């Protein structure tokens, strides 16, 4: 069974493998909604997905950051996916910048990470450096599809 826990629902008890769905939200499509379908398609069972995309409008920024920090620290694996930007953002925001910082932080912490970056995003400023850093920290493959990320997750869970 694939269970999804969305912010602000608290994570009370860890019952099975848990993966945090890390990736951009501001300017990005709602790719996290597709993750359970893609996981099922590749044959993943017994997985809890932590989805930081809020299911209510009014969550304080402090609560959201605390929810995400707890989820990132307690999960078994962090699945980073950077899809193509879906809508314009304010000019002072850089697409997926928080995701990039979280990825660097969790690579340095030694957390198990799976990384996917859509081909369209490979030209974003700093992405090539991020890929080099991921390889330095032992990430063998940076995927170009969410499905390939889920295939790696399944193989990792089966080891």
């Amino acid at each position: 069974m694939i269970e999804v826990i969305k912010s602000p629902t608290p994570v009370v008890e860890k019952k099975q493998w848990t993966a945090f769905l890390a990736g951009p939200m501001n300017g990005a499509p709602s790719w996290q909604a597709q993750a359970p379908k893609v996981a099922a398609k590749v044959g993943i069972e017994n997985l809890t997905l932590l989805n930081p995309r809020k299911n209510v409008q009014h969550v304080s920024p402090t609560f959201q950051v605390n929810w995400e920090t707890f989820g990132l620290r307690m999960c078994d694996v962090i699945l980073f996916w950077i899809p193509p930007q879906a809508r314009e953002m304010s000019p002072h925001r850089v697409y997926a910048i928080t995701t990039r910082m979280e990825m660097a932080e969790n690579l340095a912490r030694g957390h198990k990470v799976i990384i996917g970056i859509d081909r369209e995003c490979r030209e974003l400023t700093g992405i090539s450096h991020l890929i080099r850093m991921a390889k330095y920290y032992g990430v063998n493959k940076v995927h170009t599809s969410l499905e390939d990320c889920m295939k790696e997750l399944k193989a990792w869970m089966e080891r």
Side-chain angles (χ1 to χ4, degrees):
M1 173 183 93
I2 297 175
E3 176 185 17
V4 178
I5 300 175
K6 289 180 77 170
S7 174
T9 303
V11 181
V12 178
E13 179 184 5
K14 190 172 163 203
K15 302 175 208 163
Q16 56 190 3
W17 289 111
T18 303
F20 189 96
L21 299 175
M25 290 189 279
N26 192 341
S30 183
W31 66 271
Q32 295 91 342
Q34 300 305 313
K37 296 172 194 146
V38 177
K41 178 180 175 185
V42 302
I44 293 177
E45 298 175 355
N46 301 320
L47 175 66
T48 298
L49 295 171
L50 301 180
N51 181 350
R53 197 173 284 264
K54 302 178 285 279
N55 61 9
V56 296
Q57 292 298 320
H58 304 290
V59 174
S60 77
T62 300
F63 181 92
Q64 182 68 19
V65 168
N66 289 342
W67 189 94
E68 290 181 25
T69 300
F70 178 79
L72 286 164
R73 301 242 166 93
M74 63 77 60
C75 68
D76 299 297
V77 63
I78 303 168
L79 191 155
F80 286 97
W81 174 241
I82 301 178
Q85 187 172 337
R87 61 188 181 284
E88 291 297 316
M89 301 181 336
S90 62
H92 66 277
R93 298 234 11 172
V94 175
Y95 181 64
I97 192 66
T98 304
T99 299
R100 298 179 210 188
M101 289 187 288
E102 288 173 342
M103 192 182 303
E105 175 189 1
N106 284 287
L107 283 167
R109 285 178 179 271
H111 210 115
K112 170 61 180 162
V113 298
I114 295 171
I115 301 172
I117 303 170
D118 189 275
R119 288 188 206 301
E120 289 181 36
C121 298
R122 295 290 174 119
E123 301 303 317
L124 294 173
T125 302
I127 292 294
S128 61
H129 176 70
L130 195 60
I131 291 170
R132 280 192 305 278
M133 184 176 25
K135 291 186 185 208
Y136 174 81
Y137 281 105
V139 174
N140 295 323
K141 175 92 172 137
V142 175
H143 303 284
T144 57
S145 74
L146 184 55
E147 184 172 334
D148 286 345
C149 290
M150 289 296 180
K151 287 177 182 175
E152 181 181 334
L153 176 58
K154 182 177 190 265
W156 181 80
M157 289 170 60
E158 290 173 346
R159 279 189 223 127

